[in-house]
Amino acid sequence: MARLDRVKNITGLVEWYGKNARLRELVNLVVVAGDRRKESKDLEEKAEMKKMYGLIETYKLNGQFRWISSQMNRVRNGELYRMICDIKGAFVQPAIYEAFVLTVIEAMTCGLPKYATCNGGPAEIIVHGKSSYHIDPYNGDHAAELLVDFFEKTKANPSHWDKISQGGLKRIHEKYTWQIYSKRLLTLTNVYGFWKHMNDLDQRERKCYLEILYALKFRKLAESMPLAVEE
């Protein structure tokens, strides 16, 4: 469920699915992206749509694959999550890179087990193997095998699906409720109000503090971020 941009890697997910015979035996695939009802004026989206149609033909996906145009109605989007959850499916977010990833939070709130890119926000949101799973968008074969393993375990023991679903709901209640968000926002507001009334000496001390914080906490995280790969 995303825009039909190359970075979202929706066609990558379709290809992973098409190539893995066992995954196709276990589950069907639904994607919600782009608008099939009209021709796009965006060159990147046009290329992705062309690729999508080519993958459907190459892997003979008719009957196992449903491509739904992007939905602007949030209530309908919620129903799509719930429908997949009710039949004990999973949500896959295969992007090359993502920031916060609202769709992962939405899917988790609905109780859906999730497979999301390890590059960016999902690395923090998801606890691998407990609340959901990380996948490497550059290693689609491995991502498909992780899905196969999950659905085979779920087929043999339905409580495995419930365990991951409950783990995701627990993660939401611990980290991503509106109550938690509002408390953090109020805290940041109070901190801003404090810094705003500092004198020049205090401002220099704040700058030193922030530089130390960056060097100790964030520099290694920034250096570990993958660079864009030219195709």
Side-chain angles (χ1 to χ4, degrees):
M1 183 180 287
R3 300 188 309 274
L4 200 56
D5 297 338
R6 189 164 58 244
V7 71
K8 297 296 184 180
N9 201 30
I10 298 294
T11 53
L13 171 61
V14 175
E15 188 166 14
W16 305 347
Y17 176 78
K19 290 166 60 178
N20 194 300
R22 180 56 181 153
L23 184 59
R24 293 175 63 173
E25 290 175 5
L26 289 164
V27 291
N28 295 323
L29 176 64
V30 177
V31 300
V32 184
D35 190 346
R36 301 182 62 187
R37 296 164 297 183
K38 60 182 181 181
E39 184 176 352
S40 175
K41 295 181 180 179
D42 182 88
L43 294 179
E44 184 175 314
E45 186 175 47
K46 287 175 70 174
E48 287 296 289
M49 293 185 79
K50 182 179 179 180
K51 183 178 178 181
M52 186 87 86
Y53 284 118
L55 291 169
I56 294 170
E57 180 65 27
T58 298
Y59 294 107
K60 304 294 188 288
L61 295 179
N62 287 324
Q64 291 185 294
F65 170 70
R66 178 61 58 88
W67 178 8
I68 302 173
S69 295
S70 293
Q71 304 296 307
M72 298 298 106
N73 186 316
R74 290 191 175 275
V75 174
R76 185 174 295 173
N77 280 335
E79 289 301 311
L80 288 169
Y81 288 123
R82 288 304 314 166
M83 179 190 71
I84 302 300
C85 189
D86 288 344
I87 58 175
K88 293 191 179 298
F91 178 82
V92 184
Q93 204 283 357
I96 302 302
Y97 174 82
E98 275 289 0
F100 180 68
V101 206
L102 184 59
T103 54
V104 170
I105 298 293
E106 291 172 345
M108 193 180 289
T109 303
C110 291
L112 269 171
K114 288 145 302 299
Y115 287 78
T117 179
C118 59
N119 299 328
E124 178 184 341
I125 296 170
I126 289 172
V127 179
H128 185 77
K130 294 184 178 180
S131 63
S132 284
Y133 301 91
H134 296 133
I135 56 174
D136 182 355
Y138 295 107
N139 192 346
D141 291 340
H142 183 251
E145 286 302 322
L146 286 175
L147 285 160
V148 167
D149 180 69
F150 174 77
F151 283 112
E152 284 184 334
K153 287 180 179 178
T154 296
K155 187 176 181 179
N157 182 10
S159 66
H160 180 67
W161 188 95
D162 296 327
K163 176 185 175 183
I164 301 301
S165 174
Q166 290 300 317
L169 290 170
K170 183 173 183 290
R171 180 71 172 167
I172 286 293
H173 293 312
E174 289 176 347
K175 296 289 184 180
Y176 298 105
T177 65
W178 280 112
Q179 289 82 0
I180 293 171
Y181 174 80
S182 61
K183 287 180 181 178
R184 289 177 178 172
L185 183 61
L186 287 172
T187 300
L188 288 172
T189 302
N190 290 332
V191 170
Y192 173 76
F194 170 75
W195 291 117
K196 187 177 179 181
H197 293 93
M198 295 172 63
N199 58 37
D200 291 340
L201 177 61
D202 290 334
Q203 293 284 3
R204 289 196 295 272
E205 291 177 348
R206 179 186 65 169
K207 183 178 179 181
C208 290
Y209 169 77
L210 292 175
E211 288 176 350
I212 292 171
L213 181 64
Y214 170 76
L216 294 176
K217 180 70 176 176
F218 295 108
R219 179 178 292 167
K220 288 187 177 180
L221 290 174
E223 290 175 349
S224 68
M225 294 301 300
L227 299 176
V229 177
E230 293 293 336
E231 294 186 355

